[in-house]
Amino acid sequence: MRKTMADMGNLWEDLRRQARQLENEIDLKLVSFSKLGTNYSSGRDYDSMSLSPNSLLLTNTKPDASESSPMLNKASSEHMFDTMAMEISQLLARLTEVNDRMVEYTQNISVSSPSAALLHTLQRHRDILQDYSHEFQKTTANITAMREREDLLGSVRRDISAYKNSSGLNRRSDLYLKENEHIRNSERLVDEQISIAIATKENLQSQSKYLNSITHKVNSLANRFPIINSLVQRINIRKRRDSIILGVVIAICFILLILYAFH
């Protein structure tokens, strides 16, 4: 019985030693984890300030090779965050297992109820586990929220940058297309004016050829039939002579009528 009690006491001390060791490791890990969350938040805030639209509008410069370091720090911080979160989760699981074994110990040490000191020690270890779990969950939730926020802002910035780049290209393309359209319209108007001038020239040339052909035909007819020309001239001369004779006759008759009237 004494040996059994001694073995149980050694088991309790071994469990307490494991619990204290795990609690110390978790405490150190949580301190580093909290610092990582603080540095992560500061780095993200600086990155957001340096990459804000107002600063981009003020500087109007492109990122150089020196600005690639925040991206490297970001990737390194995220990898360290995931690694430490996994390690702390494993330590908390081991500490939970040790606490469960300590609870089983207090239930199996004897038929009588365990001592108040034993229960106080057990409750203290359980409170420490609860505090560490709460702090770990709180830090994890804060860093996760910051990561989601930064991913959302990064996506928005990428969309804005892509929209600005595409808008600039579209504006330049529109200007080029409008200028090309104006040039084509000018060329079309010039072609129309040239076509009208060519058509007018061809029309004048055809009319000139037609008049020249008529003149040539008339001249050829006049040259071919000179008798007709002389006959026409004689007819015109006879018409003028008949008109003169008729006028003289009318004048004589008029004079005779006047003389007859006075006598």
Side-chain angles (χ1 to χ4, degrees):
M1 184 69 180
R2 292 178 181 177
K3 186 177 180 180
T4 303
M5 291 297 294
D7 292 338
M8 294 295 289
N10 292 332
L11 178 60
W12 175 255
E13 291 298 328
D14 184 62
L15 291 174
R16 286 191 63 189
R17 185 173 58 255
Q18 293 180 16
R20 286 195 297 270
Q21 183 179 359
L22 290 172
E23 287 170 358
N24 291 331
E25 291 182 6
I26 293 173
D27 186 34
L28 294 175
K29 292 287 186 181
L30 285 176
V31 171
S32 301
F33 195 62
S34 298
K35 290 181 179 180
L36 178 63
T38 304
N39 295 331
Y40 188 85
S41 176
S42 300
R44 289 304 181 93
D45 292 338
Y46 176 77
D47 189 19
S48 299
M49 290 175 63
S50 62
L51 294 178
S52 62
N54 293 329
S55 63
L56 289 176
L57 290 174
L58 291 174
T59 57
N60 194 17
T61 57
K62 296 182 179 179
D64 53 8
S66 63
E67 294 182 356
S68 61
S69 57
M71 300 300 295
L72 297 177
N73 294 331
K74 172 184 173 182
S76 177
S77 299
E78 289 181 353
H79 177 70
M80 189 177 298
F81 166 74
D82 295 334
T83 303
M84 293 186 66
M86 183 177 63
E87 292 177 354
I88 294 173
S89 297
Q90 293 175 355
L91 291 174
L92 288 174
R94 290 172 57 187
L95 183 59
T96 302
E97 183 181 356
V98 172
N99 284 341
D100 292 339
R101 291 175 62 186
M102 292 174 71
V103 171
E104 292 177 359
Y105 174 84
T106 57
Q107 293 175 355
N108 298 326
I109 55 173
S110 63
V111 179
S112 61
S113 61
S115 64
L118 196 66
L119 292 177
H120 176 72
T121 302
L122 176 61
Q123 185 62 36
R124 185 171 62 84
H125 284 294
R126 295 180 68 178
D127 291 340
I128 292 174
L129 174 61
Q130 185 177 2
D131 292 338
Y132 286 165
S133 299
H134 179 70
E135 183 178 356
F136 173 67
Q137 293 174 0
K138 181 179 178 181
T139 306
T140 303
N142 291 333
I143 297 178
T144 302
M146 285 187 292
R147 291 175 67 178
E148 292 177 352
R149 175 177 174 273
E150 181 60 24
D151 291 338
L152 179 60
L153 293 177
S155 176
V156 172
R157 284 197 295 269
R158 287 192 296 271
D159 293 340
I160 292 174
S161 178
Y163 175 75
K164 288 181 178 179
N165 293 331
S166 62
S167 298
L169 293 175
N170 290 333
R171 284 196 296 270
R172 287 194 292 270
S173 299
D174 292 338
L175 291 176
Y176 292 150
L177 290 175
K178 288 181 179 180
E179 187 66 23
N180 190 15
E181 185 178 359
H182 292 164
I183 293 173
R184 288 183 177 179
N185 291 331
S186 300
E187 291 179 352
R188 185 169 61 252
L189 292 175
V190 171
D191 291 337
E192 291 177 357
Q193 296 298 325
I194 292 174
S195 299
I196 293 172
I198 292 173
T200 303
K201 180 181 177 182
E202 291 177 353
N203 191 9
L204 291 176
Q205 288 178 352
S206 63
Q207 291 180 1
S208 177
K209 291 179 180 179
Y210 182 72
L211 292 175
N212 290 330
S213 64
I214 292 175
T215 304
H216 180 69
K217 289 179 179 179
V218 170
N219 291 329
S220 63
L221 287 174
N223 293 327
R224 184 176 297 178
F225 301 103
I227 298 173
I228 296 175
N229 190 13
S230 61
L231 180 61
V232 171
Q233 291 179 356
R234 289 179 182 179
I235 291 171
N236 292 329
I237 292 171
R238 175 168 287 185
K239 284 183 179 180
R240 285 197 295 272
R241 188 183 62 184
D242 292 339
S243 299
I244 293 170
I245 294 171
L246 181 60
V248 171
V249 171
I250 292 172
I252 292 171
C253 292
F254 185 71
I255 292 170
L256 291 176
L257 285 173
I258 292 172
L259 291 175
Y260 180 76
F262 282 105
H263 290 288

